[in-house]
Amino acid sequence: MSRPKKRDVALHAPLADEPSLDTQGFERPRAFMDDVDEDLSPLLEISNRPVVSARQFDRAQIVQLSRLAARYETQPQVINRPLTGKILISAFYEPSTRTRLSFESAWHRLGGDVMSITDPLSTGLAKGESLYDIGEMLNHYGDVVVLRDSNEKSIYEMIEALRIPIVNGGNGVDEHPTQALADVYTLLKWRPGLADPSCQEPPARIGIIGVPGQMRTVRSLLILLSRFASGIAEVTIVTDETQPFDPGQREELEADGLRIRVENDLDAVLPALDVVYINAIAWKGDDYEAMGSRFRLHAGSPLAEGAIVLHPLARGEELDRSLDPTPHNWYFAQARGAVFVRMALLSAMLKTYV
Ligand code: CP
């Protein structure tokens, strides 16, 4: 039997350095810190509470969480392992690369220990145990729970029994608030002036290729963007769906000051956008559906010079790898920043800031 051929990779070459291009957002947190006053008091309201929805965050809290995240990103030496002896219960009843591992990385970096559930059938759920009863048990085993579940109601069932805080790591098509915090952290690094309502910079033109009523990442992001409406000229939703919003969703965002337009010709709108956020995955029931497959970004797309591209990842064909080495790629910095945002959030929830 012939041995399988090894892939043609440079096994003797040194590993690549972390990307350090400022143009891809890896070097920006320091600039963001320089522009923001240090005041952690807005974070007091976050302590010892569940985090279920992006609606729970106001502008001041988002800015100060981002400022704290920037401190963790730029000054890892200041972290004195404040979560030593604390346990995170990471319960992921739906697949995840980034959310689970970045929460666990965040908790480890703060000095704590982690217990993971990656298969619901390894728990009493397989025997018909309720999430309420599992929640009651988790009170005794850990200090914070992060839950991802395809059923949007699961988190509410568990909260009924919990006396420790829980974080929504994505609940069905409903919300993914900490992904949205990571998205806005990236935007604040790109344009620190967004944090300042009196900033004279031109308002940002943001495009979102996605479906607000069916994608939890987009739903939560729009809520957080509405907190920064004064710095945003317009949000253009690019979609083929005839009814991309849930009933009342668009009206709520517009009442909060966000200007929204809906288009379906991607290449026609791209040249006028400063930020292009793209997502194609919507979780439905126990599986995901790829939506908007005709909308694709690649190195030949008519992006404006200086425009940045964000994606919550995982990506499919909608985001071509030809964009990876370009200055438009801020999606890897966005994913990296999520670790520090989650450190900031967990610190705020437990009131242990460094
Ligand atoms: N962005 C995000 O939620 O990715 P995962 O599904 O890998 O957690």
Side-chain angles (χ1 to χ4, degrees), residues 45-314:
E45 285 176 26
I46 294 172
S47 69
N48 207 27
R49 305 218 175 141
V51 172
V52 178
S53 168
R55 281 193 183 78
Q56 293 172 249
F57 296 96
D58 63 24
R59 179 193 192 104
Q61 289 167 335
I62 299 162
V63 169
Q64 293 310 340
L65 278 174
S66 297
R67 199 199 62 74
L68 185 55
R71 185 194 293 176
Y72 287 139
E73 187 163 6
T74 57
Q75 302 169 16
Q77 72 279 7
V78 304
I79 302 165
N80 64 5
R81 303 177 64 80
L83 298 187
T84 299
K86 304 260 185 215
I87 296 173
L88 176 74
I89 300 171
S90 154
F92 278 71
Y93 296 158
E94 181 195 283
S96 166
T97 302
R98 279 145 293 275
T99 311
R100 182 170 74 84
L101 294 176
S102 65
F103 261 113
E104 295 184 4
S105 174
W107 194 269
H108 279 301
R109 285 166 194 245
L110 292 166
D113 298 307
V114 173
M115 295 192 309
S116 272
I117 304 167
T118 54
D119 177 4
L121 297 182
S122 70
T123 71
L125 281 176
K127 297 183 274 189
E129 187 174 25
S130 68
L131 283 165
Y132 179 91
D133 280 358
I134 292 175
E136 173 56 38
M137 296 304 104
L138 299 188
N139 286 316
H140 309 288
Y141 305 152
D143 298 279
V144 173
V145 180
V146 180
L147 177 70
R148 168 172 290 187
D149 196 305
S150 304
N151 182 342
E152 63 189 77
K153 298 196 177 85
S154 296
I155 190 162
Y156 298 103
E157 191 181 338
M158 201 176 260
I159 278 176
E160 273 189 67
L162 283 176
R163 296 181 294 281
I164 58 175
I166 188 169
V167 184
N168 180 2
N171 64 325
V173 296
D174 185 29
E175 284 224 42
H176 196 348
T178 64
Q179 176 63 48
L181 288 171
D183 302 341
V184 173
Y185 175 49
T186 314
L187 289 176
L188 291 170
K189 288 192 281 187
W190 165 71
R191 186 165 286 185
L194 272 176
D196 175 7
S198 63
C199 175
Q200 298 300 311
E201 282 187 82
R205 300 162 300 174
I206 298 178
I208 294 181
I209 306 161
V211 187
Q214 298 191 51
M215 293 178 179
R216 60 193 178 203
T217 54
V218 175
R219 187 191 306 277
S220 293
L221 174 60
L222 282 166
I223 293 168
L224 291 197
L225 289 180
S226 71
R227 309 303 193 243
F228 296 86
S230 61
I232 298 171
E234 190 172 57
V235 175
T236 304
I237 305 291
V238 182
T239 178
D240 276 335
E241 301 291 311
T242 49
Q243 293 191 314
F245 294 93
D246 272 349
Q249 185 183 18
R250 178 173 182 167
E251 291 76 9
E252 180 187 341
L253 294 164
E254 288 178 331
D256 286 341
L258 213 55
R259 287 161 288 276
I260 296 175
R261 185 159 62 106
V262 179
E263 297 288 348
N264 63 15
D265 185 345
L266 177 60
D267 282 1
V269 300
L270 276 183
L273 297 175
D274 303 309
V275 178
V276 182
Y277 177 103
I278 183 166
N279 187 23
I281 289 180
W283 272 93
K284 294 190 166 174
D286 290 336
D287 206 352
Y288 68 85
E289 179 181 331
M291 307 188 76
S293 53
R294 85 176 172 86
F295 301 117
R296 294 187 181 184
L297 292 178
H298 50 84
S301 296
L303 289 157
E305 192 182 341
I308 65 168
V309 174
L310 304 182
H311 192 306
L313 305 174

